[in-house]
Amino acid sequence: GSPDQNLVLIDGSTVYNPSHLLGFYSSFNPEAIKDVELIKGGFPAEYGGRMSAVLNLTQKDGNRDSVEGTATLGIISSKASLQGPIGNGSWFLGGRRTYLDLLLSLLPEDSLNPLPSFNFWDANGKITQDLSDNDKVFTSGYLSADNLNFGGGGLKFNLGISNKAGAVRWNHIFGDNLFSVLNLSVSKYKTGFDVDNAGFAFQIENSITDYTSKLNLEWFTSNDLTIKTGLDYTHYVFKYLQNFTGKLDSLPKDGQVNGAGGTNFTLPDDVFSGYLQANYQVNDLLGFQVGAHGYHYTLPNTNYIDPRIAARYQLNEDVILKAAVGRY
C-alpha cells in the first residue's frame, strides 16, 4: 500500500513518511530499534485509520548496568549510539547522517555543470524509569530530515522533508492478569519545496501535526481468552501553503484559498475512537480474534464502525492457515 494506507508507529507516535532518499532508504536507524512488529493485513481492531498494514517499532531502552557506545562508518551514511544507566532505569541516544553534501562542498564549483546537494539525518532518544514494581515510564523522541538543493542556469531548487515525534508512555500492572498502557504523543510531518526561476519564485508547503492520547487495557481472563480495549483521542492540524506571488517573503493571506497569490489555510480536526477485541484459543490448533473499532470525526461529523474477525489454524508443524475479514 501507499504511505497513507500503512500505519507506522515508533513508541506509539505516528510517523507519516518513514523513508529517506525519496523512498530508497529507511528512516529508522537499526542501532536504535529494539523490536519490530509487522502486521501485513487483516490487522486487529486495536489499530485503526489505515487500510493496508501496521508497522509498530519500539526504540531501545538502553543499558541499565554501564555506559557503552558504538560508531559505524558507511559509504552512504555514518551512525553512532550511546547508552547507559540513569536513576532507576536507563537512557539511549542514537544518530545517523549522510555526508554527500559535505564531500561536494570540498569540490570546486562549476556554474556550467552544477551538482545537486543532498543529505539526510535522523536522531533517536529514550529514557526509561521504574517508578515501582508495577509502574514503568518511558519518554522517547525521534527526528528525521531530508534536504535536496540544486542551483544553476538561473534555477534554484530546494526540497525538504521532516518528521518530528515524541511520546510519554506509562505502563501499570493492576494484577497478575490485568495491566494498562497510557500513551501521550505528538507528531509532525512537513514537506515542501521552493523554486526560484530567473527571479520568479514560488513554493508549496504541506504539514500534518497530531496530538494523541491513548489508553489501553488488557485482561487475561483465562489461559484461553484475552480481552483488550482502549480509547483514543487525536487533535489534527493540517496546513497547506501554495505561494505563487513571485517572492518567497510575500505569502498569501491566512485563510485564502485559490486566491491570486495562491492558497494558505489551516484545517483542524478532532477524532475520537475506541475499540474492543477478544482473542480466544479454542485448542492447541485453532484460535479466533473478534473485535470492532469505532470512530467519530468532528469536522465532517461522521461516525464509523469497523468490525473484524480473524482465524488461525495450525495445519501441521510447517503450515499455518490464516483468514481475516473486516472493514478497514
Side-chain angles (χ1 to χ4, degrees):
S2 59
D4 62 315
Q5 294 179 359
N6 294 286
L7 177 63
V8 180
L9 300 169
I10 182 165
D11 284 345
S13 298
T14 303
V15 178
Y16 289 93
N17 184 26
S19 63
H20 287 303
L21 199 59
L22 304 178
F24 289 98
Y25 215 75
S26 169
S27 280
F28 305 112
N29 181 358
E31 301 290 338
I33 301 301
K34 172 186 175 182
D35 183 61
V36 178
E37 179 186 18
L38 174 63
I39 308 174
K40 301 177 293 180
F43 47 86
E46 175 184 357
Y47 302 103
R50 298 296 191 276
M51 292 173 56
S52 184
V54 176
L55 182 66
N56 192 5
L57 301 102
T58 304
Q59 297 188 91
K60 286 184 177 178
D61 296 334
N63 192 326
R64 290 173 174 258
D65 301 320
S66 61
V67 177
E68 63 176 9
T70 63
T72 304
L73 296 177
I75 298 175
I76 298 177
S77 65
S78 293
K79 53 192 176 184
S81 64
L82 195 63
Q83 56 186 314
I86 183 174
N88 294 324
S90 59
W91 58 273
F92 177 89
L93 290 173
R96 181 176 56 167
R97 193 192 192 282
T98 57
Y99 29 74
L100 176 62
D101 59 323
L102 302 178
L103 296 177
L104 291 176
S105 66
L106 301 177
L107 300 177
E109 293 186 8
D110 185 352
S111 58
L112 297 179
N113 299 288
L115 295 173
S117 175
F118 176 81
N119 74 80
F120 70 75
W121 61 270
D122 51 60
N124 303 74
K126 190 171 184 178
I127 297 176
T128 303
Q129 289 291 296
D130 296 336
L131 302 183
S132 69
D133 292 339
N134 297 325
D135 296 276
K136 183 178 289 189
V137 174
F138 307 86
T139 304
S140 61
Y142 165 74
L143 302 171
S144 75
D146 287 61
N147 298 285
L148 172 64
N149 305 289
F150 176 80
L155 177 68
K156 294 181 180 180
F157 178 87
N158 302 289
L159 170 68
I161 302 172
S162 66
N163 290 287
K164 299 178 182 178
V168 176
R169 188 170 85 250
W170 172 30
N171 291 0
H172 176 68
I173 301 174
F174 292 99
D176 294 337
N177 62 347
L178 179 65
F179 70 90
S180 67
V181 177
L182 175 63
N183 198 96
L184 306 176
S185 67
V186 58
S187 178
K188 182 175 183 178
Y189 166 65
K190 183 178 180 180
T191 180
F193 67 88
D194 60 77
V195 178
D196 188 325
N197 187 10
F200 184 87
F202 61 92
Q203 68 184 125
I204 293 178
E205 288 186 359
N206 178 40
S207 71
I208 303 171
T209 305
D210 78 54
Y211 306 88
T212 300
S213 58
K214 301 178 183 179
L215 176 62
N216 294 320
L217 291 172
E218 191 161 5
W219 180 27
F220 298 91
T221 61
S222 66
N223 292 332
D224 301 322
L225 179 62
T226 301
I227 295 176
K228 196 168 185 179
T229 186
L231 296 172
D232 296 3
Y233 164 70
T234 301
H235 175 68
Y236 290 101
V237 180
F238 304 95
K239 291 187 177 182
Y240 184 74
L241 171 67
Q242 197 177 57
N243 180 9
F244 289 103
T245 61
K247 297 181 180 180
L248 299 183
D249 57 355
S250 178
L251 300 178
K253 295 180 180 180
D254 188 20
Q256 179 175 318
V257 179
N258 295 327
T263 300
N264 185 4
F265 69 85
T266 301
L267 190 67
D269 192 16
D270 296 294
V271 179
F272 301 85
S273 67
Y275 74 92
L276 177 64
Q277 70 183 43
N279 292 357
Y280 181 64
Q281 195 67 30
V282 179
N283 51 46
D284 292 339
L285 302 178
L286 180 63
F288 288 96
Q289 183 181 79
V290 180
H293 201 128
Y295 316 83
H296 172 72
Y297 290 85
T298 302
L299 187 63
N301 192 23
T302 305
N303 300 308
Y304 295 98
I305 296 292
D306 290 358
R308 299 169 192 177
I309 183 171
R312 179 183 186 275
Y313 184 74
Q314 184 88 33
L315 191 63
N316 55 49
E317 290 185 359
D318 303 315
V319 179
I320 296 174
L321 301 179
K322 297 181 181 180
V325 63
R327 178 176 176 177
Y328 302 88

